[in-house]
Amino acid sequence: MTTTEPQSTKTTVSVTIDGNTVEAIPGEMLIKVAQENGVYIPRFCWHERMKPVGMCRMCLVEVDGIRGLPPACTMPVAEGMVCHTETPAVKQAQDDILEFLLVNHPLDCPVCDRGGECPLQDTTLAFGPGESRFVEEKRHFEKPIPISNVVLLDRERCIQCARCTRFADEIAGDPLISFVDRGGHTQVLNHPNHPFASYFSGNVVQICPVGALTAKPYRFRARPWDLATVETSCTQCSVQCRGALQSSSNRLVRLLGIDSNAVNHGWLCDKGRYGFEYVHSDDRIREPLLNGAIASWPQALDAAADALRSARDLHGAESIGFIGGARGTNEDAYAWSRLAKGVLGTDNVDAQLGDGLPAELILGVERASIAECDSAAAIVLLAPDLKEALPVLHLRLRRAALDLRVPLIDFSCAPHGLSSEVTHALAAAPGEQGARAEQLVAAVNGASSDGVIAAAAATMKARAGTIVVVLGRANLAERSDATVQAVAALAQLPNVKFLSALRRGNVHGALEAGLAPGILPGRVTIEYRDAVAAKWSAIPEAPGLDTEAMLRAALEGKIKALVLIGADPIADFPDRALAEAAVRAVPTVIAIDGFHNESTQRAKVVLPATMFGEKSGTITNLEGRIQRVNQKVSPDGLAMDDWRIASELAFRLGHDFDLETVDEVTNELVSVAPALAGGSAQLFRSARDGVRIPVAQHHAEVQLRKGLGLTLDGPDGVSWEPIKVEAEITVESVPENGNTQDAFALLRWDGGSVRVDLPGRDAYALRLIGSVSLYDHGSAVSESPSLVGLRTVPKLLVAAADLQRLGVPNGTEVHVASANGAFNIVVQAIKGLQPGVAQLAAGSGNAANALIDAAAVVNDVRVETIR
Amino acid sequence: MSEAVETPARKEVRETLIVSRRVREFPDDAHTFERATSDGAYEIWKEVLRRADVQWIHDEVKASGLRGRGGANFPTAIKWESLPDNGLPRHLVINGDEGEPSTFKDRLLIEGDPHALIEGVCIEAYRIGSHRAFIYLRGEFALGADRIEQAVHDARAAGYVGSNILGSGFDVEIVVHRGAGAYICGEESALIESLEGKRGMPRIKPPLPIHVGLYSEPTVVNNVETVCTIPHILKMGGAQYANLGVNRSTGTRLAAISGHVNNPGVYELEFGMTLRDIIFGIAGGIRGDKQLKFFLPGGASFQWLIASDEHLDQVYDIDDISAKLGTTLGSGAIMVYDEDTDPLLVAWRLAKFYAHESCGKCTPCREGSGWLEKVLYRMSHGQGRPNDMDALLDISAGISPDVMKAPFTQTTICPLGPSPVSAIASLQKYFRAEVEAACAAGVPA
Ligand SMILES: Cc1cc2nc3c(=O)[nH]c(=O)nc-3n(C[C@H](O)[C@H](O)[C@H](O)COP(=O)(O)O)c2cc1C
Ligand code: SF4
Ligand code: SF4
Ligand code: SF4
Ligand code: FES
């Protein structure tokens, strides 16, 4: 554009495709513009979420003024472009390309997993030649070879589209597979010594347009036409990726990612993709147990209700505690919340296990959406390693940093999945995040600063947009105080929002349903009692205990009955010694779970609960998006939905919840939860991409919404094509600025006044970071055959300089000791870890939680060679 | 360009030594620093630094009409003019990959006159404002790599390369990089990928390397012979250089003549001779008193010509030959075949090369070239089938839709894909009857 004429304000270009002129964003690829306007150009290599490579040549078209047949997937649209997708030359080229792709293809469709849902089959049917003229010998390779523990590769079937290799490199950042050899021998391979060990390996199986890549869990398990499918959301972590869950003969066989622009872009991590296997594990609890023996449901429920009643009657409601509930649905959480607070009257309820952050902080800060990260001014990482904790969020942030050039400002002092993408590394040692954040905020506000703080502040000021703070518990070996202090500081930044990185599947839904001390459903405190008063008979007067306080109370003999809702505090609470002693000290433990664990072993009553794929309802992800989970198979054994168990218990305690269907539970939750006002089971069902309900500002608005309901403005229906428009909620009419006197009581976190006083550290001690790993000790991994082998034995990670200083050889077994525990473990030097710090994953056995004292601000350990 | 081409004046049948003069005069030691400098190497480089006038270099090269000697014939000065002014560092990359069968003319310069190359690199780097130049050498050029490395070392020691060259304030470093044996790495964008440490596969264009090249920065890629010519142009003056040759084919070019001729070798020819003069005059005619059957005037990738007067009287002129005979002078190689040659065998051998060297990126090249090779193998080994020739044409059409046309159209990313199609088109044009007879006689497998 070198003309001096005034620039038109038009931001789109006109493109003519097969005679129809459409408007498109300049630079968009022709194949996508055509697709959005109803013209399907066949393709193999192009994938909407990856950069084009133009390899397969299936998408050749004619464009006026361009010689030959350019590929539509690498052709950016420009003003006045005229393109033809159905001319004889194009049809001939499509025929030719398909014939080329088939000459060396083994055509073993009858025994191919992809048969019946194969893009190569489908495209050949729709666009290809009817016959092959190839009479030569086909290319041969050894039939499937493993490229990882989970994925197999059949190179004869590969059509060299580079979807898998691009995914591994561009999206996952694990470039462990690539093309080797040339010409007709071109093949995908991993390096012989490096398997394709990626947390995201299953995605390549899903996006491979042929049956070249197959996953062990699904191989030869089903034919596509025998599969029944529901759309659902993964519940393994709080990202809650959208997926299509498939079963054959009442067994779950596969979870496929669905492209949701809001959440997962179609990707799943392998834990989510294969973790459903545990549903069918032989170790499932299938019948209720009473004192270790199989019991009937009535027997077990009666025993549980009796224990709760007598605890309440003899020792008061505060002698009862509820821990857990973050693995179920919102409906489950609500029913437990109503049972605990509204029936029994105890506020000792906590969905977190001392490994998260205060509920009023998570519920009370201004929330960012996942998608807001894409255009953020900067992303601040005050969180654990997201690759381990929230894998698909990690992918999204990696893309934001790499492709969208959003600066990352990182508080971590340990290496993590995004380390190489970090723009400014603030490297706050354990306990120092708060002080560091205060320096940063002061620098943004103009205080003089230097070094990385000054640089980070300059970056934050240089770009317009929201600053998104990803907020989680980075270190289990320190109290959450320093993080809280950091949030209080960061909340002072202009345009700041927070994206919670608490990881348990439905922890946000559980907190929002009231499974936290001092909280009632709908993001309000127990002072705001009116909403629930209509339904609930008892409401606690004062805030109760969180998990840590409950465990301490139990040690003092003050907890007489403890209900574990899919929770194993002995393994999951950061301080194993405390949790173990506390659970032992409780006279009656009631466990609702799918599997036995160390804590259920201590239970008098064990009630079998339904799991993923066996139940329906809604869940809420880390950005507050309410999405559906759907049942696909009938529950194993006698397992029951949590919400039903809770209402059965309530009934035995003299309260009829009068809830027959899960939709009724949803609607009751919505009716009592101010933050959800206007929602409904119907609305959540029809919002394919889920809904984030905007925060009501005023009491009047809540009432108005309750009356009018919220309307869904976006696509619904079932399709695997990417969603274009995010579902949006509109409120018919919001009172203009309302009545300011009527300012609404939704929880707003006031920042608190926590300040951390760090104890000194002696020269021989290392300050501990307790980390999380994706393949942890939980049942989703240990009971899923495809995942259990991927778990690694934790090692103590230390900076090389410290090893040298302490005279400990790398890779040897050492003795590590804290005030709380000691054991022998292999030590490993890692790059990027701050000297003076040691990192160890939490888990069962010799893991971080065996060292941590939950009361300590930070935990120090000593490392010694074994003599 | 479809403008009318004048009938060029006929040139004398003799060599014109410009870029190859030093190596031809001192075949034993032209590569040494002592010989090269005593023969005038780096004098023009010093002159460039003395004048400190970028425009002078540009004007002379533009006036010379120099076109790239790597095969695409793109005018060198025009390439420079397309460099974006976007503040990014610029790179100069010298293409010494020379991997096409029968093309061996750059090797003469790489092994024989490395200081001429380095002098050219310095001057071109100066012209485009690049401080880092890469010489990408075909992996098999072991001697060439040694000599270039040595020459860079000597030139640096003498202060002609490095920082603040001869006190001028100008810096240029030269990095010598050896390929790993893939022909496709001669294609400029694949070469750049390879230099970046990746698998050598051509990039999607646009953007062209001149805009987004090495490390995503503006990059000029030039052939060894092109670069070596630049100092000579400055020495003799662009206009003087343009006086040589015919029409838009100015100056000289190195021709690598091979096959059934009496005197195969690399010759420096002024454009404008006839092909007859080149084959029978320069290269001494067909050996063993045999008859000429056919020849490839532009290397392995383009259409063939036969022993007709029309073809032999064709003038060696880049644009004229493509306008009249639908082939090009390509990489400067001429392959000559006598009457006993089986054209099917030649076509098979060429297809085998391209099938082997296909980078595997695009379907038509990856699968089509292998398919062509398999069919041609049968045909040339007594197992032809009656409709094999038609099958070849059909397969070819999937790679290059207008099979018989040159310059070819393509369904592929780079021109390697359609290269074997040139042989198929040539068989169809000149040897259809012979091929059919061979296939009819063959024993079907
Ligand atoms: C398959 C293929 C192989 C090539 N090999 C070479 C080569 O070996 N040397 C070369 O200079 N150019 C080669 N080229 C041409 C280059 O892409 C590029 O046009 C040239 O290096 C530009 O330099 P020039 O302008 O000086 O000719 C090749 C092109 C293709 C498509
Ligand atoms: S394995 Fe599948 S995804 Fe990978 S290149 Fe081959 S066909 Fe494409
Ligand atoms: S990132 Fe979380 S929600 Fe997504 S697939 Fe993995 S475990 Fe499931
Ligand atoms: S035409 Fe052949 S060599 Fe060129 S990019 Fe395509 S596959 Fe590679
Ligand atoms: S989809 Fe365009 S080349 Fe593969």
Side-chain angles (χ1 to χ4, degrees):
Chain A
M1 295 222 186
T2 48
T3 54
T4 49
E5 285 161 43
Q7 293 264 300
S8 85
T9 51
K10 197 173 142 207
T11 55
T12 59
V13 291
S14 303
V15 182
T16 306
I17 302 170
D18 295 340
N20 295 320
T21 302
V22 299
E23 292 298 305
I25 300 164
E28 284 257 42
M29 293 305 163
L30 183 54
I31 194 168
K32 184 169 180 195
V33 172
Q35 171 174 302
E36 281 169 1
N37 290 284
V39 176
Y40 183 86
I41 299 170
R43 79 290 298 259
F44 292 111
C45 65
W46 185 69
H47 186 283
E48 174 143 23
R49 295 294 182 190
M50 299 194 285
K51 295 187 190 104
V53 274
M55 275 185 90
C56 72
R57 319 304 283 180
M58 192 62 222
C59 66
L60 300 179
V61 293
E62 283 194 86
V63 175
D64 288 0
I66 293 183
R67 196 166 159 264
L69 301 165
C73 71
T74 59
M75 172 66 56
V77 293
E79 178 60 36
M81 182 180 274
V82 179
C83 128
H84 314 274
T85 74
E86 294 193 305
T87 60
V90 170
K91 296 239 170 237
Q92 181 63 49
Q94 291 171 345
D95 251 33
D96 290 342
I97 300 294
L98 277 167
E99 188 175 19
F100 283 142
L101 286 174
L102 292 174
V103 294
N104 276 312
H105 198 77
L107 295 175
D108 47 5
C109 310
V111 292
C112 178
D113 275 339
R114 213 42 162 186
E117 55 171 18
C118 173
L120 181 59
Q121 279 183 336
D122 297 347
T123 311
T124 305
L125 184 68
F127 299 93
E131 53 182 298
S132 171
R133 296 167 296 176
F134 189 73
V135 294
E136 326 300 326
E137 175 77 12
K138 288 188 189 250
R139 167 184 67 216
H140 287 297
F141 286 117
E142 186 187 333
K143 276 295 200 181
I145 51 167
I147 57 170
S148 77
N149 283 338
V150 190
V151 181
L152 293 119
L153 168 66
D154 180 334
R155 291 163 294 172
E156 291 187 343
R157 292 181 189 155
C158 173
I159 58 167
Q160 284 87 16
C161 69
R163 281 184 167 204
C164 57
T165 52
R166 274 180 293 154
F167 174 85
D169 184 13
E170 291 172 19
I171 307 290
D174 299 321
L176 296 164
I177 44 175
S178 58
F179 285 120
V180 302
D181 263 327
R182 291 186 296 213
H185 300 281
T186 306
Q187 53 193 292
V188 174
L189 269 186
N190 59 303
H191 185 280
N193 300 335
H194 298 280
F196 179 43
S198 168
Y199 284 174
F200 307 98
S201 72
N203 292 294
V204 302
V205 177
Q206 179 171 344
I207 62 178
C208 176
V210 289
L213 291 165
T214 46
K216 270 189 203 158
Y218 179 74
R219 277 173 68 77
F220 307 127
R221 290 285 298 280
R223 302 302 291 173
W225 47 86
D226 290 333
L227 295 177
T229 305
V230 289
E231 284 203 21
T232 191
S233 313
C234 175
T235 57
Q236 299 281 6
C237 86
S238 62
V239 178
Q240 298 179 357
C241 299
R242 298 290 295 151
L245 182 62
Q246 302 184 312
S247 69
S248 173
S249 311
N250 204 34
R251 277 182 83 86
L252 301 177
V253 293
R254 187 162 70 167
L255 181 67
L256 292 170
I258 291 180
D259 194 317
S260 151
N261 195 37
V263 179
N264 62 324
H265 285 181
W267 313 130
L268 299 177
C269 73
D270 285 0
K271 185 177 181 183
R273 188 178 295 271
Y274 303 123
F276 69 80
E277 288 180 346
Y278 78 150
V279 172
H280 300 304
S281 162
D282 288 345
D283 298 336
R284 270 293 288 279
I285 304 175
R286 294 188 163 75
E287 290 97 4
L289 300 171
L290 184 55
N291 296 320
I294 292 177
S296 70
W297 267 109
Q299 285 170 326
L301 288 167
D302 286 348
D306 286 348
L308 293 171
R309 186 186 305 107
S310 69
R312 180 191 60 190
D313 294 349
L314 294 174
H315 306 282
E318 61 286 356
S319 70
I320 302 173
F322 283 73
I323 295 178
R327 292 207 186 131
T329 60
N330 293 338
E331 290 71 22
D332 294 338
Y334 173 72
W336 289 119
S337 177
R338 185 173 169 191
L339 174 71
K341 301 191 176 186
V343 172
L344 292 163
T346 177
D347 197 50
N348 300 337
V349 178
D350 197 350
Q352 301 190 75
L353 284 113
D355 54 356
L357 292 169
E360 55 286 2
L361 185 156
I362 291 296
L363 296 176
V365 288
E366 177 144 13
R367 269 189 202 172
S369 68
I370 294 175
E372 268 173 294
C373 297
D374 296 349
S375 56
I379 298 172
V380 178
L381 298 174
L382 184 63
D385 185 345
L386 298 174
K387 194 170 182 178
E388 303 289 344
L390 302 162
V392 171
L393 180 65
H394 160 84
L395 295 186
R396 185 76 172 233
L397 298 191
R398 186 172 181 274
R399 171 176 174 269
L402 277 175
D403 294 351
L404 308 174
R405 307 245 158 238
V406 179
L408 297 188
I409 295 166
D410 183 20
F411 275 87
S412 176
C413 67
H416 54 80
L418 288 169
S419 290
S420 47
E421 273 66 66
V422 164
T423 322
H424 303 292
L426 305 185
E432 288 174 5
Q433 303 89 321
R436 215 72 179 120
E438 283 163 5
Q439 290 169 359
L440 177 64
V441 173
V444 172
N445 291 336
S448 78
S449 58
D450 53 20
V452 66
I453 291 279
T459 298
M460 290 168 103
K461 287 199 282 193
R463 287 168 54 102
T466 307
I467 292 169
V468 177
V469 179
V470 184
L471 169 62
R473 182 77 172 271
N475 179 8
L476 299 173
E478 64 178 85
R479 297 189 63 83
S480 61
D481 298 0
T483 308
V484 172
Q485 186 187 342
V487 177
L490 294 170
Q492 309 301 315
L493 290 169
N495 290 328
V496 69
K497 289 188 184 176
F498 295 85
L499 186 63
S500 168
L502 300 185
R503 77 162 177 160
R504 265 191 207 92
N506 194 32
V507 62
H508 300 92
L511 296 180
E512 195 146 300
L515 291 185
I519 306 284
L520 289 179
R523 228 182 293 164
V524 290
T525 63
I526 51 174
E527 281 109 66
Y528 191 83
R529 323 165 69 84
D530 301 4
V532 289
K535 293 279 178 193
W536 293 17
S537 46
I539 302 169
E541 291 298 328
L545 309 176
D546 66 6
T547 292
E548 183 183 344
M550 272 187 262
L551 294 175
R552 294 197 191 285
L555 267 189
E556 293 168 17
K558 290 183 186 157
I559 299 290
K560 302 299 179 191
L562 180 62
V563 182
L564 300 177
I565 315 164
D568 176 8
I570 296 179
D572 285 350
F573 186 75
D575 178 342
R576 186 184 176 90
L578 169 60
E580 202 162 0
V583 173
R584 268 177 212 289
V586 176
T588 307
V589 174
I590 300 164
I592 296 90
D593 219 314
F595 291 96
H596 282 295
N597 55 47
E598 289 180 83
S599 302
T600 62
Q601 308 293 355
R602 300 274 314 130
K604 176 185 169 71
V605 186
V606 179
L607 304 173
T610 50
M611 299 173 55
F612 178 71
E614 296 177 335
K615 62 180 174 189
S616 296
T618 64
I619 53 176
T620 303
N621 81 350
L622 47 75
E623 51 171 353
R625 181 174 306 274
I626 300 172
Q627 315 195 91
R628 291 279 308 172
V629 284
N630 284 308
Q631 181 179 355
K632 188 67 225 61
V633 291
S634 43
D636 206 346
L638 300 177
M640 215 193 302
D641 289 355
D642 277 41
W643 67 268
R644 279 193 198 277
I645 299 175
S647 33
E648 287 291 340
L649 290 172
F651 190 75
R652 282 165 170 74
L653 293 165
H655 294 257
D656 186 355
F657 280 1
D658 192 21
L659 295 169
E660 294 300 325
T661 65
V662 74
D663 280 3
E664 285 176 30
V665 190
T666 314
N667 287 334
E668 181 172 315
L669 167 62
V670 163
S671 74
V672 302
L676 305 181
S680 67
Q682 176 54 36
L683 179 91
F684 301 148
R685 270 179 192 284
S686 53
R688 183 173 175 267
D689 244 2
V691 290
R692 288 179 83 226
I693 298 184
V695 178
Q697 299 298 331
H698 306 290
H699 189 66
E701 190 184 334
V702 172
Q703 298 309 325
L704 193 74
R705 286 188 188 182
K706 278 190 178 171
L708 292 171
L710 297 164
T711 52
L712 184 67
D713 172 12
D716 52 358
V718 175
S719 147
W720 289 6
E721 283 300 322
I723 311 295
K724 275 130 231 152
V725 196
E726 194 178 331
E728 275 171 24
I729 290 289
T730 52
V731 179
E732 286 296 325
S733 66
V734 178
E736 262 306 309
N737 210 10
N739 176 353
T740 43
Q741 299 307 307
D742 188 26
F744 186 59
L746 268 198
L747 233 173
R748 287 219 179 234
W749 186 59
D750 63 6
S753 55
V754 180
R755 300 210 61 87
V756 175
D757 256 337
L758 276 183
R761 179 170 56 84
D762 79 66
Y764 293 98
L766 297 174
R767 201 140 271 181
L768 186 63
I769 296 179
S771 59
V772 293
S773 20
L774 185 64
Y775 299 132
D776 57 11
H777 56 275
S779 49
V781 176
S782 57
E783 299 293 340
S784 294
S786 303
L787 298 180
V788 67
L790 303 177
R791 209 155 52 178
T792 51
V793 180
K795 289 180 184 160
L796 186 72
L797 308 177
V798 180
D802 283 329
L803 278 189
Q804 211 164 24
R805 190 169 58 89
L806 299 171
V808 177
N810 190 15
T812 58
E813 204 173 44
V814 294
H815 185 74
V816 59
S818 72
N820 248 29
F823 46 77
N824 292 349
I825 189 167
V826 174
V827 72
Q828 188 185 325
I830 51 162
K831 283 206 187 93
L833 185 66
Q834 197 171 77
V837 172
Q839 181 176 331
L840 180 58
S844 54
N846 294 342
N849 35 340
L851 296 173
I852 296 170
D853 171 6
V857 178
V858 288
N859 280 268
D860 291 345
V861 295
R862 279 170 167 271
V863 176
E864 285 160 8
T865 47
I866 303 168
R867 264 170 288 272
Chain B
M1 297 291 139
S2 55
E3 63 210 64
V5 179
E6 278 176 45
T7 309
R10 193 158 161 179
K11 296 284 174 185
E12 272 180 68
V13 185
R14 61 167 170 78
E15 282 193 82
T16 307
L17 299 186
I18 297 175
V19 280
S20 62
R21 183 198 55 79
R22 187 180 300 146
V23 56
R24 292 287 287 278
E25 218 163 281
F26 309 105
D28 295 335
D29 62 354
H31 63 277
T32 62
F33 183 77
E34 295 70 28
R35 170 61 75 196
T37 44
S38 66
D39 186 54
Y42 301 108
E43 289 308 317
I44 287 292
W45 178 217
K46 288 188 225 163
E47 172 71 9
V48 163
L49 292 172
R50 201 160 36 242
R51 290 200 190 204
D53 184 358
V54 166
Q55 195 61 41
W56 169 63
I57 306 172
H58 188 90
D59 291 345
E60 293 300 330
V61 172
K62 190 160 186 181
S64 77
L66 176 66
R67 294 163 78 178
R69 303 295 192 229
N73 304 311
F74 195 83
T76 305
I78 306 288
K79 200 182 269 192
W80 294 341
E81 285 170 14
S82 324
L83 271 170
D85 242 327
N86 53 10
L88 291 174
R90 294 167 169 184
H91 305 288
L92 175 61
V93 173
I94 309 307
N95 191 341
D97 193 53
E98 194 165 64
E100 187 156 317
S102 78
T103 306
F104 46 88
K105 49 104 185 168
D106 290 337
R107 179 179 174 188
L108 180 78
L109 299 173
I110 292 165
E111 290 176 358
D113 197 0
H115 288 287
L117 178 59
I118 292 167
E119 185 170 15
V121 168
C122 291
I123 294 169
E124 187 168 12
Y126 189 82
R127 158 61 190 90
I128 67 171
S130 167
H131 303 293
R132 191 165 287 253
F134 299 82
I135 301 179
Y136 189 102
L137 292 177
R138 172 177 177 155
E140 292 88 338
F141 285 170
L143 177 64
D146 284 351
R147 290 200 170 161
I148 298 264
E149 296 268 18
Q150 182 63 47
V152 170
H153 177 86
D154 294 344
R156 189 182 290 117
Y160 296 134
V161 170
S163 50
N164 190 19
I165 297 168
L166 305 180
S168 65
F170 182 74
D171 313 329
V172 63
E173 272 306 332
I174 297 180
V175 179
V176 180
H177 184 100
R178 291 178 67 182
Y183 166 58
I184 192 58
C185 289
E187 194 282 334
E188 54 187 5
S189 63
L191 186 154
I192 287 171
E193 288 278 295
S194 168
L195 258 185
E196 289 182 359
K198 301 182 194 140
R199 181 184 161 87
M201 298 210 274
R203 293 177 178 175
I204 302 286
K205 295 172 199 165
L208 294 167
I210 195 85
H211 297 116
V212 182
L214 186 62
Y215 310 125
S216 298
E217 288 157 352
T219 302
V220 172
V221 182
N222 269 135
N223 171 259
V224 166
E225 184 187 344
T226 315
V227 185
C228 288
T229 305
I230 293 172
H232 297 285
I233 289 171
L234 297 187
K235 200 185 300 174
M236 65 198 282
Q240 190 65 27
Y241 186 83
N243 276 339
L244 297 169
V246 280
N247 301 316
R248 291 181 56 242
S249 301
T250 58
T252 63
R253 83 161 302 177
L254 295 178
I257 309 179
S258 64
H260 302 150
V261 287
N262 280 314
N263 305 317
V266 179
Y267 299 94
E268 186 165 2
L269 306 178
E270 190 186 343
F271 283 104
M273 260 176 249
T274 65
L275 294 169
R276 188 191 308 276
D277 289 344
I278 294 173
I279 294 172
F280 292 94
I282 299 285
I286 309 302
R287 67 181 187 194
D289 286 331
K290 296 274 167 95
Q291 295 296 306
L292 170 67
K293 185 166 181 183
F294 64 99
F295 61 102
L296 279 58
S301 303
F302 302 101
Q303 285 194 17
W304 310 353
L305 297 178
I306 52 170
S308 69
D309 284 345
E310 185 198 6
H311 291 181
L312 287 172
D313 289 337
Q314 170 63 41
V315 167
Y316 201 67
D317 172 327
I318 297 163
D319 309 289
D320 193 52
I321 194 170
S322 72
K324 291 191 177 135
L325 301 181
T327 186
T328 89
L329 302 183
S331 56
I334 301 175
M335 265 190 279
V336 182
Y337 295 97
D338 70 16
E339 56 191 292
D340 297 337
T341 315
D342 177 2
L344 265 176
L345 210 51
V346 174
W348 167 65
R349 197 60 195 77
L350 289 173
K352 188 169 161 144
F353 172 79
Y354 289 109
H356 185 256
E357 295 298 336
S358 160
C359 81
K361 192 164 181 176
C362 13
T363 305
C365 172
R366 183 183 66 240
E367 305 294 345
S369 59
W371 191 357
L372 289 174
E373 189 266 321
K374 283 175 175 162
V375 175
L376 280 166
Y377 177 83
R378 278 198 293 99
M379 294 168 78
S380 56
H381 289 74
Q383 296 158 23
R385 299 177 182 209
N387 47 8
D388 273 346
M389 190 62 218
D390 289 332
L392 288 180
L393 291 168
D394 260 11
I395 301 166
S396 297
I399 308 171
S400 183
D402 306 308
V403 180
M404 305 304 292
K405 236 201 209 158
F408 38 62
T409 52
Q410 65 198 56
T411 58
T412 56
I413 294 173
C414 87
L416 191 151
S419 293
V421 172
S422 301
I424 309 296
S426 306
L427 287 181
Q428 166 74 2
K429 259 191 197 166
Y430 309 119
F431 303 109
R432 170 106 201 180
E434 186 180 336
V435 167
E436 276 181 349
C439 290
V443 193

